[in-house]
Amino acid sequence: MRSISLNQSWYFGYGQLDPGSRAQRRFGSKVVNLPHDYMIENAVSPEAPAAAASGYYNAGVAHYVKETEIPSEWADGRVFLRLDGAMMNATVEVNGAKAGLQHYGYAPFEMDITQYVYPGETNRIVITLNPSMQPNSRWYSGAGLFRGVELVHTPGLYLPMGALSAYTRKIDYDSGKKAEAAYLQLQAEVRNSYAENRLAEVTFELLNEADGSVLLSRKTLTQVQPMSAGHAYATMTVDSPRLWSADDPQLYRLQVRVRDAGTFRTHQVRTQSGSEDTDSVLFGIRTVEADVRHGLQINGQTVKLKGGCLHHDNGILGAVSTYEIEARKVRILKEIGFNAVRTTHNPPSAALIEACDRLGMYVFDEAFDAWGMGKQPGDYNQFFDTDWERDLSAFVRRDRCHPSVILWSTGNEITERGGLNDGYIWAVRLAETVRALDPSRPVSNGICSFWNGLDDALQEANMRAMEDSNASLQNANPLGPDAMQWEHYTEAFANGLDIVGYNYMEDLYERDHALYPDRVILGSENFPVRIGEHWPMIEKTPWVIGDFTWTAWDYIGEAGIGKAMFFDPDDPEAASESLGWQYGSPYPWRLANDADVDITGRILPQGVYRRIVWGSPETTVYSYDPAHAGKIEVMSRWGFPSVSDCWNWTAEPDSPVDLAVFSRADEVELKINGMSAGRLRAGEALVHGMPCTFLFHAAYIPGCVEAVSYKDGHEVSRACLKTTGAVQSIRLTAERSSMPADGASLAYIHAELVDADGHVVPDSALQLKAEISGPAELLGFGSANPITDQAYTSGTAPAYRGRALAVLRAGTEAGAVCLKVTADGAEAACLTLPVEKA
């Protein structure tokens, strides 16, 4: 047994564990299972130091204690504690001794605890987290052991974390473009903890992921010096390879085995137990190339990245991450049509990378939001100078074999992008470090316009230009449309990159291509409302390889950046205040409210619109609240029209109402209760100028409103909204039929308030209460409401638009778990799920 999961049964407490508690083995009464986020368990407060940035959450120091027996057979070799991330400033103590300190909460790390453990006895591990220097992030960070912990045992000659490196150098194709052969480059790092030279016999194996059978094997010898690391290399030629892509994610597994072959002189094989170490990783055969003539090519085929930015939190679960959580997210994003995600703005969990490997999703893998110059007082800038190489290396080493990762990012909107703090030197240094660890993928960075430091003069002139033209700061080129100061000051920062990420600067694509004809450009971050305007250009422009919207999935923190307001056109004061209003979100705003998918996993109008822009022939119809008729909607730059799938308005019949139809059709007809309410041709009346939209002005009449799309005079598709009856009952629907009793599996259960005909009542906000019995825990319960002070861990929540979500985590005992949800004014509902012995 090489590793043991330590995710079950940790004592948890706030503050630092005091010496008396250590001596008397008093560790508190609360026991938690990992992954665990203790920030999400705290109450929100208007006094939270990070305010809207964290969604008004806060967290201080806390500790976790685990007492575990380490197998006696582990006495030979090394013992490591491995974490995929711990938020943040994690101090690790083993049997009273400090084993190490890890600052960056998102980076994977392992600590050698061999000298502190007692094999065959009970050992105590204490991990203290200190995220108390708030604000420490520009979004909700979470706190705690939010990605899990494992114990790893190796012999003295061993494979460290991230030891295996592999990539596809070349693929041969026949005349029909079918892969004939793939040529793999393999490397393994071997470490020697002995005080003498050792010979390592290293065997690389390509396995069938489905059954574990060995398809190819290569063996080599390498010498490793005392207390040092060595490397073994091999190549493989794979005949008739199955290629990995987002559309067809064919997987293999790469395994490496290291056998201690003794000293150089004796060349004798060590015979003691545990003298061989083995590790493996998911692997896919695929190539990645990018240039200005062919764009991005995966396996020789041009691909446009239909991308979405993702923060790391998971809504009502906080920052907790498991494979099951991340796979669900990837599946829903693929329903919209996304083929890529950007891990903004930090290393993601290993679980997300595995989900993208298995389900097929390209990953733009990002390292940092700040380098040496910070954006928040408590962010990574404090540790960058001393920790950057260790954290960047650990991140790249963990992910470099995974086929879903096609592009590295060394940072986002880095303050040094204009040359401050030796920014040009750092940009090259980080890119070179990544290439040394992985020469197979392009390196990028998400660069935005100027707003700091050396750039103050540019910023001031830019603000004047914006005032003169009413342009958006992040869409405007500094110093106006004819100036090139942005290009001048960022060229030295960008010239060490393989692909240059442009944040919110689509308007510069064509001009910068003329200035830098060999520059490959990626829309690394863009406003969601502009996808219909820019996507046709991206499709036909080879040197622009794709677009990443901000954001694909809603998240906690940066609260309200996607909000909108309505004002009377005759009220100039309200209009003048609208710009400043965009930048502040008072308590209890919690969510960004800027995404294609809400935190419960429901696809929003923004996501449906994107799917239509990308080619879906569907029609959708949404309504504005009649109370806003005649008013002007002002959205933040990250906003989207405030439409909903509701036709239950309290307005009087025949009140004016605006409706939005999303369709790629030539013409759309609107019908209310079977009677035509108008017909519009494409481009005749747009919603906020968005292509593929039709804006109708009609009279509100309860019943059924229907939109019918026509292409060349023939109906293509239709959609409708219906007025529902009053709430009668609660409907519970589970996304799975059972759970294994493994202490980790999750069940997502939707709670919907429905009328007598089973239709969701979209304007209902009844207070819901969730209770469970049986071998499971209620991990979270809540709605997608972006403005709330509810605690997702309390078991109570008001419905939002008639819906809420419960997430259950299975225990370790078999049985049946029952979820009961009640609300005053509705029939209660119970749902039973079997929990079966794993």
Side-chain angles (χ1 to χ4, degrees):
M1 182 188 300
R2 190 177 195 262
S3 65
I4 298 173
S5 171
L6 294 184
N7 284 348
Q8 297 295 308
S9 302
W10 287 73
Y11 293 103
F12 171 79
Y14 287 97
Q16 186 170 348
L17 187 65
D18 63 77
S21 296
R22 287 175 167 84
Q24 299 177 38
R25 298 186 65 253
R26 290 186 287 106
F27 305 134
S29 58
K30 184 171 183 179
V31 177
V32 301
N33 296 325
L34 308 183
H36 177 250
D37 174 10
Y38 65 86
M39 181 180 279
I40 202 69
E41 298 176 350
N42 293 346
V44 290
S45 167
E47 284 76 44
S54 68
Y56 294 94
Y57 278 97
N58 192 21
V61 176
H63 63 270
Y64 296 81
V65 180
K66 175 75 173 178
E67 293 194 314
T68 186
E69 183 175 331
I70 293 179
S72 57
E73 57 267 28
W74 284 19
D76 291 330
R78 317 300 298 177
V79 180
F80 299 89
L81 200 63
R82 185 173 294 179
L83 293 87
D84 195 42
M87 187 59 67
M88 61 178 287
N89 298 320
T91 301
V92 178
E93 170 194 303
V94 180
N95 293 324
K98 180 179 176 181
L101 171 65
Q102 168 68 24
H103 293 296
Y104 196 29
Y106 299 107
F109 64 98
E110 72 174 7
M111 292 181 179
D112 188 338
I113 60 173
T114 307
Q115 62 181 313
Y116 310 120
V117 301
Y118 305 104
E121 301 180 26
T122 298
N123 293 256
R124 185 176 69 237
I125 300 167
V126 180
I127 303 178
T128 304
L129 289 308
N130 182 7
S132 60
M133 191 179 289
Q134 296 283 339
N136 62 15
S137 179
R138 296 189 298 119
W139 53 85
Y140 174 90
S141 64
L145 302 180
F146 66 140
R147 294 179 181 174
V149 180
E150 67 177 332
L151 209 55
V152 177
H153 172 248
T154 72
L157 193 69
Y158 66 95
L159 298 159
M161 184 177 74
L164 188 57
S165 172
Y167 63 92
T168 308
R169 288 190 295 110
K170 187 178 71 167
I171 300 172
D172 288 340
Y173 299 92
D174 64 17
S175 58
K177 297 297 183 181
K178 182 178 180 181
E180 287 187 317
Y183 305 91
L184 310 185
Q185 184 69 47
L186 312 174
Q187 175 186 324
E189 179 182 332
V190 182
R191 291 189 183 171
N192 177 13
S193 64
Y194 297 115
E196 55 187 8
N197 286 339
R198 308 303 302 175
L199 276 178
E201 182 184 84
V202 181
T203 304
F204 296 94
E205 295 171 324
L206 183 68
L207 308 181
N208 187 325
E209 168 60 11
D211 60 15
S213 59
V214 178
L215 303 176
L216 285 173
S217 180
R218 298 289 182 268
K219 186 178 293 186
T220 185
L221 281 172
T222 189
Q223 183 174 334
V224 189
Q225 294 182 335
M227 309 303 293
S228 186
H231 294 86
Y233 301 89
T235 58
M236 278 186 182
T237 303
V238 184
D239 292 325
S240 302
R242 304 188 308 274
L243 304 187
W244 188 98
S245 69
D247 293 330
D248 188 17
Q250 296 288 333
L251 285 173
Y252 295 87
R253 182 168 288 275
L254 275 174
Q255 180 169 276
V256 60
R257 294 187 289 112
V258 176
R259 191 168 65 112
D260 189 342
T263 65
F264 175 73
R265 291 184 179 277
T266 63
H267 202 184
Q268 294 174 342
V269 177
R270 298 177 67 90
T271 58
Q272 72 266 26
S273 173
S275 61
E276 182 174 279
D277 193 20
T278 303
D279 202 4
S280 68
V281 66
L282 283 177
F283 181 72
I285 295 175
R286 62 105 187 89
T287 56
V288 182
E289 299 171 287
D291 60 57
V292 293
R293 293 189 177 180
H294 303 93
L296 175 70
Q297 291 197 311
I298 306 295
N299 302 328
Q301 301 297 312
T302 298
V303 171
K304 291 293 184 180
L305 296 179
K306 299 176 179 178
C309 297
L310 286 180
H311 271 315
H312 72 294
D313 80 86
N314 284 295
I316 65 174
L317 303 180
V320 166
S321 178
T322 68
Y323 175 80
E324 198 167 2
I325 295 169
E326 307 298 351
R328 176 179 183 264
K329 185 185 295 182
V330 171
R331 281 192 293 267
I332 292 171
L333 292 178
K334 285 177 75 75
E335 286 181 34
I336 295 174
F338 286 101
N339 66 5
V341 295
R342 178 185 177 209
T343 68
T344 46
H345 300 291
N346 46 259
S349 67
L352 175 64
I353 298 299
E354 181 182 352
C356 292
D357 281 348
R358 293 190 180 279
L359 300 177
M361 183 71 76
Y362 300 120
V363 178
F364 183 7
D365 218 356
E366 194 150 78
F368 305 117
D369 189 52
W371 293 353
M373 298 178 69
K375 300 173 183 176
Q376 296 278 33
D379 71 16
Y380 190 66
N381 80 91
Q382 306 169 93
F383 316 114
F384 178 79
D385 287 348
T386 56
D387 292 7
W388 73 269
E389 188 169 14
R390 179 185 68 182
D391 292 336
L392 180 65
S393 298
F395 153 60
V396 173
R397 285 165 60 93
R398 185 197 67 183
D399 291 352
R400 61 186 172 181
C401 288
H402 291 274
S404 60
V405 178
I406 62 165
L407 181 61
W408 301 111
S409 171
T410 55
N412 169 71
E413 299 183 352
I414 296 300
T415 308
E416 291 93 328
R417 64 193 175 280
L420 296 173
N421 195 38
D422 293 331
Y424 303 149
I425 295 172
W426 279 111
V428 172
R429 184 177 299 166
L430 267 68
E432 288 178 342
T433 300
V434 173
R435 292 190 187 100
L437 293 165
D438 173 34
S440 72
R441 294 174 178 86
V443 179
S444 185
N445 190 292
I447 309 173
C448 67
S449 61
F450 291 133
W451 34 253
N452 62 278
L454 174 64
D455 317 319
D456 283 349
L458 300 179
Q459 169 76 345
E460 183 180 349
N462 193 25
M463 291 298 290
R464 288 198 302 269
M466 185 177 70
E467 291 169 1
D468 293 340
S469 63
N470 199 29
S472 165
L473 170 61
Q474 296 215 37
N475 284 334
N477 185 44
L479 293 178
D482 298 323
M484 289 181 285
Q485 277 82 353
W486 183 84
E487 287 85 353
H488 173 75
Y489 280 99
T490 60
E491 197 275 336
F493 188 92
N495 67 11
L497 304 173
D498 304 300
I499 295 171
V500 182
Y502 279 50
N503 284 12
Y504 309 108
M505 294 188 295
E506 302 102 311
D507 296 336
L508 297 186
Y509 290 175
E510 290 197 22
R511 191 182 73 184
D512 282 11
H513 176 62
L515 290 171
Y516 310 108
D518 292 314
R519 176 178 288 185
V520 179
I521 292 174
L522 172 62
S524 43
E525 194 169 314
N526 286 313
F527 300 126
V529 78
R530 301 191 73 189
I531 184 65
E533 175 188 352
H534 292 296
W535 187 251
M537 177 271 292
I538 294 169
E539 284 191 306
K540 66 183 181 183
T541 307
W543 35 269
V544 178
I545 64 171
D547 177 279
F548 284 81
T549 187
W550 192 269
T551 58
W553 199 284
D554 208 4
Y555 57 96
I556 305 172
E558 291 188 295
I561 68 167
K563 60 186 180 295
M565 69 173 292
F566 294 84
F567 65 87
D568 191 313
D570 297 325
D571 185 353
E573 184 176 345
S576 65
E577 291 175 356
S578 65
L579 184 62
W581 165 88
Q582 296 180 35
Y583 298 96
S585 298
Y587 179 87
W589 267 96
R590 176 175 299 178
L591 306 181
N593 193 50
D594 64 352
D596 287 30
V597 185
D598 73 25
I599 63 168
T600 70
R602 185 165 182 259
I603 298 174
L604 296 169
Q606 179 175 307
V608 176
Y609 175 68
R610 187 179 311 280
R611 185 164 62 199
I612 289 170
V613 168
W614 283 339
S616 172
E618 69 190 288
T619 297
T620 56
V621 56
Y622 299 104
S623 173
Y624 280 99
D625 188 336
H628 297 144
K631 296 183 178 180
I632 296 176
E633 181 180 28
V634 176
M635 301 180 299
S636 81
R637 292 177 296 169
W638 293 270
F640 194 80
S642 304
V643 296
S644 68
D645 55 356
C646 180
W647 199 239
N648 279 17
W649 305 113
T650 58
E652 292 294 324
D654 294 324
S655 296
V657 63
D658 294 334
L659 294 107
V661 178
F662 301 159
S663 172
R664 295 176 62 87
D666 300 330
E667 194 172 18
V668 170
E669 183 178 20
L670 190 74
K671 297 180 179 180
I672 299 178
N673 296 332
M675 302 294 292
S676 179
R679 203 169 175 120
L680 291 173
R681 295 196 59 78
E684 188 174 346
L686 302 177
V687 181
H688 285 278
M690 298 159 52
C692 301
T693 65
F694 299 76
L695 179 63
F696 287 88
H697 306 292
Y700 173 63
I701 303 173
C704 175
V705 57
E706 190 171 31
V708 185
S709 290
Y710 298 92
K711 194 85 170 177
D712 298 325
H714 300 287
E715 181 179 331
V716 176
S717 55
R718 63 174 62 202
C720 69
L721 295 176
K722 291 183 178 180
T723 304
T724 71
V727 172
Q728 177 170 304
S729 60
I730 300 168
R731 180 171 61 207
L732 299 180
T733 307
E735 293 185 7
R736 64 188 307 165
S737 58
S738 65
M739 288 190 290
D742 57 7
S745 292
L746 304 180
Y748 286 82
I749 301 174
H750 299 270
E752 298 171 315
L753 293 163
V754 298
D755 65 10
D757 295 322
H759 300 302
V760 175
V761 181
D763 57 338
S764 176
L766 292 181
Q767 182 76 13
L768 301 173
K769 181 178 182 180
E771 300 173 288
I772 68 164
S773 60
E777 63 175 317
L778 183 63
L779 201 59
F781 182 64
S783 76
N785 192 344
I787 309 172
T788 180
D789 60 0
Q790 72 168 110
Y792 296 135
T793 54
S794 69
T796 61
Y800 181 63
R801 296 178 176 170
R803 296 174 170 88
L805 178 72
V807 183
L808 279 56
R809 180 158 60 186
T812 55
E813 299 296 325
V817 58
C818 178
L819 172 69
K820 181 179 181 181
V821 179
T822 58
D824 290 340
E827 295 176 11
C830 293
L831 185 144
T832 300
L833 279 179
V835 180
E836 300 167 343
K837 201 64 181 175

